Amino acid sequence: MNNYGIDIWGDDNFIIEDALVKVNSGSKPALLSIVKEIRTQGKRGPLLLRFPHLIKKQIESIFQNFQRAKEELEYQGNFQAVFPLKVNQFPNFVKALTEAGSNYNYGLEAGSKAELLIAMSHNKNNAPITVNGFKDKEMVELGFISALMGEDITLTIEGINELETIIEVANEKPSPTPYIGLRIKLHSLGVGVWAKSGGINSKFGLTSTELIKAIALLKESNLLDKFTMIHFHIGSQITDIGYLKKAIREAGNIYTDLVKLGAHNLNTINLGGGLAVEYAQNSDNRKVKYSLSEYANDIIFMLDTIAKSKKVKAPDILIESGRYVAASHAVLIAPVFELVSEGYLESDLSLKACNPPLIEELNDLYKNINARNALEYLHDALDHLNSLLTLFDLGYVDLLDRSNSEVLGHLIIKKSITLLQDQNYKELLHIQNMIQEKYLINFSMFQSMPDFWGLNQNFPIMPLSKLDIKPSRSATLWDVTCDSDGEIAFDPKNPLFLHSIDLKNEEYFLGFFLVGAYQEVLGMDHNLFAHPTEATVKINDEGYLIENVIESASILDILDNLNYDTLQIQKILKDKITSSPLIPDYLKVKTINSLEIFLGENGYLKTVK
Ligand SMILES: *Cc1c(COP(=O)(O)O)cnc(C)c1O
């Protein structure tokens, strides 16, 4: 039975039971039950479910692994972590995150003014705040305000000019001054599609020469006391820990040398993010080659070794992992709206009294196909289909013949896939690749999985039900945008099989997992499909609570966001209806009312049920 690789990417967060995907926590509710409950409240279209317990789980596993590694190696430095807000700034996520992290003094990282304001207002119990990214004077001033509010805030300098701005502001403002971090440029290269974060040519950080200059500047302006941290970030989704080890070796030596150069309050190495998430659905595609425990051990061991050999106090460690913390907490669930070729039924055939010989043969193949001859008959059928198309181009068969061959072709393929299911997998895969079923899904890929579109990042996909039935249709997914890029094509290297379904009589939902990191805020309103309806689901031993339901933006709100004058739009539409001679008077008010209801709803498709 196909388990959709839940044992590879699922991390025990979800289980398959009673043919359903269930949340593996407390009362173990089925995702389908949660979705149905929200849909009974009239919510339609795709749904984004947030599970705060999964945020908590990730934060706890990070702190517990570092605590264990520290104890095992008797490491003298402290461990701290912050969440980089760029990974997910949505309020219901951030609130759940700061709540879950409060026992660990888990802080926030900001990379822009808006993110800094979120950090300043949502940070709990004086947990650390780090500020990266390019800063103008105003942003530096915000940092100072935060320090004056008593926050434990570190401004990380990306270049010498930012340090000059800090010095300027420090001369204008009363103390305290925020702590100062220096981002270092490593010669170790970053990895993967996000590689630009590391290396000598990276966008951020100071070279050795600039570091020495920075120390001199800090000394000169009496700010050396405030210099406490060095920082690097070699890239996101580091699947091979070797790259990180190289970077740590380099950064560790920079750290000890800066201490020796007189940076007497330097006490922290901030290793940025990069902890990877396994998105693979089959073991051949596994990418992540290390565990969190190995990651913690390696970092602690290497920094301990370097500090000891250079006779410097072991640094405090700070990490800024985002993807690892946020990815698993969100699941996007979207209904299948239509099956594009499932529509071919025997009743669609309209055979003539006298058909072209190839059609007769196709019909024979269809009637006589069985488990033993299925592969041979299937090959013959595919052959005939090709010939029939050529005959059509040459004018020897007509449109009705062509339609009959299409219908027969699909019927034969469907039947043979069912017959061949348990044998000859390779050949079947080849055929399934040729004849995929297109599932039209009520979601926007540009909005909900932009990294699939932009970076070919796969996300685990599986149906929420029917998991006791072997899925036999090779599936290509189409989203509801008008963009042909809005497609997840069947990929024989990473095949997705779904069930044959009868949408007239049943609903079928797909879950897209691990979409909690980066996808939401990178998502774009292509075709004006907005962020999906979201809900927070808190699970306990008795059941679950659905909270913070935020419906996807209404059509009017979407237009308003684009700065359309929506009052004027409503007025124009109303006037057009009122003055149209084509609408009888008694229907005018009714038409206006239904248009108003429609404008107040979200723009996703409405399935009948
Ligand atoms: C993006 C970013 C992170 C987070 O990286 P993840 O791969 O999500 O862990 C951390 N620090 C900095 C400076 C970043 O730019």
Side-chain angles (χ1 to χ4, degrees):
M1 205 58 53
N2 191 339
N3 72 357
Y4 294 92
I6 204 168
D7 52 331
I8 299 170
W9 56 264
D11 199 24
D12 282 335
N13 295 337
F14 300 95
I15 46 165
I16 298 174
E17 210 177 80
D18 310 326
L20 299 166
V21 190
K22 295 186 174 177
V23 189
N24 190 18
S25 171
S27 57
K28 296 195 169 54
L31 287 176
L32 194 61
S33 320
I34 300 172
V35 169
K36 289 209 161 143
E37 182 166 338
I38 295 171
R39 284 166 68 90
T40 53
Q41 302 165 9
K43 308 287 184 275
R44 288 291 180 270
L47 270 179
L48 185 94
L49 301 183
R50 299 188 197 283
F51 295 102
H53 74 281
L54 295 179
I55 308 174
K56 189 154 187 247
K57 174 183 167 183
Q58 296 307 89
I59 296 173
E60 281 177 352
S61 67
I62 287 178
F63 279 92
Q64 284 164 7
N65 268 288
F66 273 91
Q67 188 55 36
R68 178 199 45 72
K70 261 176 52 166
E71 281 165 17
E72 275 171 23
L73 291 160
E74 293 175 20
Y75 189 74
Q76 296 304 308
N78 291 319
F79 173 76
Q80 289 187 302
V82 295
F83 180 80
L85 282 165
K86 77 162 188 280
V87 179
N88 196 326
Q89 307 94 336
F90 276 70
N92 287 324
F93 169 78
V94 173
K95 281 180 200 149
L97 175 99
T98 49
E99 185 79 40
S102 61
N103 286 342
Y104 295 95
N105 214 34
Y106 185 49
L108 294 166
E109 183 266 1
S112 65
K113 290 176 205 174
E115 287 181 0
L116 181 51
L117 282 165
I118 297 176
M120 287 164 67
S121 51
H122 285 72
N123 194 40
K124 282 212 159 105
N125 313 331
N126 211 26
I129 296 176
T130 60
V131 186
N132 302 316
F134 295 117
K135 297 164 211 61
D136 61 2
K137 189 168 173 196
E138 191 179 281
M139 188 155 169
V140 169
E141 281 172 350
L142 266 181
F144 274 70
I145 293 173
S146 174
L148 288 167
M149 284 156 56
E151 297 285 359
D152 169 8
I153 181 169
T154 308
L155 299 182
T156 303
I157 307 310
E158 311 279 357
I160 290 285
N161 60 329
E162 283 183 10
L163 185 53
E164 284 161 353
T165 314
I166 290 188
I167 293 168
E168 188 187 330
V169 178
N171 288 331
E172 294 166 7
K173 286 250 188 274
S175 49
T177 305
Y179 295 114
I180 298 169
L182 299 181
R183 183 152 176 175
I184 54 179
K185 212 167 246 186
L186 299 176
H187 73 77
S188 328
L189 274 178
V191 262
V193 266
W194 294 274
K196 290 185 206 78
S197 305
I200 284 292
N201 291 319
S202 69
K203 191 165 150 193
F204 300 110
L206 282 72
T207 62
S208 338
T209 318
E210 288 169 326
L211 281 174
I212 292 168
K213 199 167 153 197
I215 299 286
L217 261 176
L218 283 163
K219 234 183 240 170
E220 213 173 274
S221 44
N222 282 329
L223 283 174
L224 195 57
D225 283 355
K226 288 289 171 181
F227 170 45
T228 53
M229 181 187 291
I230 58 166
H231 169 50
F232 69 86
H233 169 69
I234 60 170
S236 201
Q237 186 71 350
I238 303 170
T239 50
D240 185 339
I241 202 165
Y243 293 97
L244 184 72
K245 284 168 132 175
K246 248 183 113 190
I248 293 175
R249 218 166 277 135
E250 190 180 344
N253 281 299
I254 292 178
Y255 175 86
T256 52
D257 285 4
L258 286 174
V259 171
K260 288 184 171 176
L261 272 178
H264 55 273
N265 273 351
L266 174 60
N267 54 25
T268 305
I269 295 194
N270 171 353
L271 299 100
L275 247 178
V277 167
E278 184 58 78
Y279 294 94
Q281 278 194 278
N282 65 54
S283 41
D284 293 346
N285 295 339
R286 267 181 195 274
K287 294 258 164 37
V288 186
K289 303 190 188 75
Y290 61 93
S291 63
L292 173 58
S293 145
E294 183 181 347
Y295 175 85
N297 290 346
D298 282 351
I299 290 173
I300 300 258
F301 175 78
M302 291 182 72
L303 289 178
D304 193 48
T305 310
I306 295 170
K308 279 184 178 143
S309 75
K310 293 248 178 136
K311 303 203 167 47
V312 163
K313 185 176 169 300
D316 293 345
I317 295 163
L318 186 139
I319 67 166
E320 301 179 326
S321 276
R323 182 185 300 275
Y324 187 86
V325 172
S328 62
H329 96 280
V331 183
L332 180 84
I333 294 169
V336 173
F337 189 68
E338 193 182 312
L339 264 62
V340 178
S341 40
E342 188 74 28
Y344 292 104
L345 301 172
E346 231 175 73
S347 55
D348 293 324
L349 273 177
S350 29
L351 292 171
K352 301 172 177 166
C354 179
N355 297 289
L358 278 178
I359 301 263
E360 291 294 349
E361 277 184 44
L362 274 180
N363 203 16
D364 281 346
L365 291 172
Y366 176 53
K367 283 192 180 127
N368 298 317
I369 193 166
N370 62 39
R372 254 180 309 109
N373 65 24
L375 198 58
E376 184 189 333
Y377 277 29
L378 181 63
H379 286 151
D380 290 349
L382 294 172
D383 221 31
H384 292 349
L385 283 175
N386 264 331
S387 311
L388 275 157
L389 285 175
T390 312
L391 289 176
F392 178 80
D393 292 346
L394 296 173
Y396 292 114
V397 302
D398 63 18
L399 197 59
L400 189 59
D401 299 323
R402 181 170 164 171
S403 153
N404 284 330
S405 67
E406 245 169 47
V407 178
L408 281 168
H410 276 281
L411 292 174
I412 292 170
I413 286 161
K414 260 197 272 183
K415 210 162 162 184
S416 61
I417 288 174
T418 318
L419 292 168
L420 285 168
Q421 248 180 63
D422 298 318
Q423 33 166 323
N424 212 347
Y425 181 72
K426 263 218 168 95
E427 177 65 16
L428 190 61
L429 195 60
H430 173 67
I431 292 158
Q432 283 171 318
N433 187 25
M434 287 164 55
I435 40 97
Q436 305 139 17
E437 178 58 271
K438 313 288 193 294
Y439 290 75
L440 185 59
I441 316 291
N442 197 0
F443 86 121
S444 156
M445 187 156 90
F446 301 89
Q447 179 61 250
S448 294
M449 289 200 300
D451 277 349
F452 182 87
W453 171 67
L455 297 165
N456 283 327
Q457 171 65 59
N458 283 310
F459 293 88
I461 304 170
M462 70 184 291
L464 303 189
S465 58
K466 285 185 175 274
L467 295 166
D468 55 343
I469 302 168
K470 187 165 173 172
S472 56
R473 305 308 314 267
S474 43
T476 283
L477 309 185
W478 284 346
D479 76 358
V480 290
T481 69
C482 303
D483 193 314
S484 53
D485 271 355
E487 172 187 85
I488 300 177
F490 182 74
D491 174 2
K493 289 205 187 79
N494 184 30
L496 176 68
F497 295 101
L498 296 175
H499 298 92
S500 282
I501 37 174
D502 172 10
L503 285 173
K504 286 199 191 75
N505 295 306
E506 59 184 333
E507 286 185 297
Y508 191 67
F509 292 91
L510 295 187
F512 301 84
F513 293 82
L514 301 176
V515 296
Y518 296 102
Q519 303 318 294
E520 287 186 66
V521 81
L522 287 178
M524 55 206 114
D525 294 356
H526 195 21
N527 265 155
L528 303 187
F529 289 107
H531 185 271
T533 299
E534 67 163 87
T536 299
V537 185
K538 291 189 179 157
I539 297 167
N540 53 41
D541 287 337
E542 287 74 48
Y544 57 89
L545 295 171
I546 295 172
E547 295 178 354
N548 309 327
V549 179
I550 302 179
E551 185 147 15
S552 182
S554 72
I555 292 170
L556 276 181
D557 285 344
I558 294 170
L559 296 180
D560 190 54
N561 258 342
L562 289 177
N563 290 324
Y564 277 98
D565 181 341
T566 48
L567 287 176
Q568 195 191 22
I569 288 181
Q570 281 169 290
K571 183 171 180 315
I572 294 173
L573 295 176
K574 212 165 160 175
D575 289 350
K576 282 191 174 182
I577 291 170
T578 313
S579 61
S580 169
L582 302 174
I583 308 174
D585 279 348
Y586 75 96
L587 269 183
K588 283 189 172 155
V589 173
K590 206 173 161 198
T591 311
I592 290 170
N593 286 348
S594 49
L595 190 67
E596 262 168 15
I597 292 175
F598 168 71
L599 289 172
E601 292 181 336
N602 76 58
Y604 285 97
L605 305 184
K606 274 187 207 155
T607 34
V608 204
K609 275 154 269 156

